[in-house]
Amino acid sequence: MSVSRDVVALDDPVGESLRGRHAHLARGVGRAATYLPDVSTFASVSADPGPADWDDLVRLLGRGEFADMFSCPATPPSHWEPVFVLEGRQMIWPEDALPGHAGDETDAGMVELGADSGPEMLDLIARTKPGPFWSRTHELGTYLGIRDDGGLVAMAGERLRPPGWTEISAVCTAPEARGQGHAARLVGALVTRITARGERPFLHVAEANTGAIALYERLGFVTRKPVTFRGFRTP
């Protein structure tokens, strides 16, 4: 399947989102930007950052604060303290794939999750640890969940939104509910929604998470490129 469409926006998905569809959730100084507190820790600088850009990020975040640079290929000055490095990959939905290729999933049995579901979402995140998720992360896009006996047992949603794209994220299932295909159904439903808007889904996954990679490939996603996730402490 073809992946030839221009994907340059995915080289800086955080910055493209902060400058575009998530501008209402952003704060910035100069060419440095980050999300509002409790929405996300992701931060961005210019495509070719110089010392002034890194200084702007320090002014924005404060000294001794966490700078989550996500997949930004540029690294800050050497006196910034590294916090973590994680190898991963960026996967995309092929341009000519049919919307139903992810399993012809519908929203049947799923619920949309919002502010009133916040405590449940945070509890599920704490139990499954799919990645960073805060009290206002649900404001980034639509989040879908599956309940069993009234309790939230699985969820997935939309996170970064560079032009023409929507990232699928926070895909997680409670340990007692695994093996029932919940993740595939949720991702499939999100693919259908995103493609219906004329956009393409993409996602990020840790390289060590071989089970998730196999699931996404089975659903139809293909690897675009390897990425390195990095976090630093501001000086």
Side-chain angles (χ1 to χ4, degrees):
M1 286 181 286
S2 170
V3 294
S4 61
R5 189 171 108 177
D6 185 12
V7 292
V8 66
L10 299 187
D11 289 336
D12 181 19
V14 174
E16 293 283 358
S17 299
L18 287 166
R19 291 188 294 269
R21 285 181 287 179
H22 285 162
H24 64 293
L25 298 172
R27 55 195 176 111
V29 172
R31 296 198 295 176
T34 188
Y35 282 92
L36 296 173
D38 299 327
V39 174
S40 174
T41 56
F42 296 156
S44 173
V45 290
S46 64
D48 54 345
D53 297 311
W54 295 112
D55 290 344
D56 284 342
L57 188 55
V58 174
R59 281 191 286 272
L60 177 60
L61 297 175
R63 297 189 179 277
E65 296 297 328
F66 178 53
D68 189 341
M69 301 310 299
F70 195 59
S71 61
C72 176
T75 54
S78 59
H79 61 285
W80 287 46
E81 176 190 352
V83 175
F84 76 89
V85 176
L86 178 66
E87 298 303 323
R89 64 174 71 184
Q90 185 184 80
M91 304 183 74
I92 63 175
W93 189 251
E95 187 172 19
D96 57 0
L98 297 175
H101 183 71
D104 296 314
E105 301 298 347
T106 69
D107 293 1
M110 300 179 195
V111 294
E112 287 200 15
L113 305 171
D116 58 339
S117 305
E120 289 181 291
M121 298 170 78
L122 291 171
D123 176 70
L124 184 59
I125 291 291
R127 295 171 61 199
T128 57
K129 299 182 176 11
F133 193 96
W134 311 104
S135 61
R136 296 181 59 194
T137 299
H138 63 86
E139 296 179 27
L140 294 173
T142 298
Y143 283 80
L144 301 176
I146 295 175
R147 297 186 183 280
D148 184 18
D149 268 344
L152 185 65
V153 297
M155 69 178 232
E158 300 171 350
R159 189 171 64 179
L160 299 176
R161 301 191 67 185
W165 299 83
T166 294
E167 182 194 27
I168 295 175
S169 183
V171 181
C172 57
T173 303
E176 69 274 13
R178 289 174 183 163
Q180 301 178 43
H182 292 328
R185 289 186 58 227
L186 288 163
V187 172
L190 288 168
V191 167
T192 298
R193 287 180 174 224
I194 294 166
T195 54
R197 298 197 299 259
E199 300 172 1
R200 284 171 64 189
F202 75 110
L203 53 84
H204 294 90
V205 60
E207 196 62 34
N209 194 350
T210 54
I213 292 171
L215 169 65
Y216 300 141
E217 290 178 336
R218 196 160 61 245
L219 291 175
F221 285 86
V222 296
T223 297
R224 178 185 175 232
K225 67 174 185 177
V227 295
T228 301
F229 307 112
R230 295 185 178 92
F232 300 87
R233 189 75 57 190
T234 60

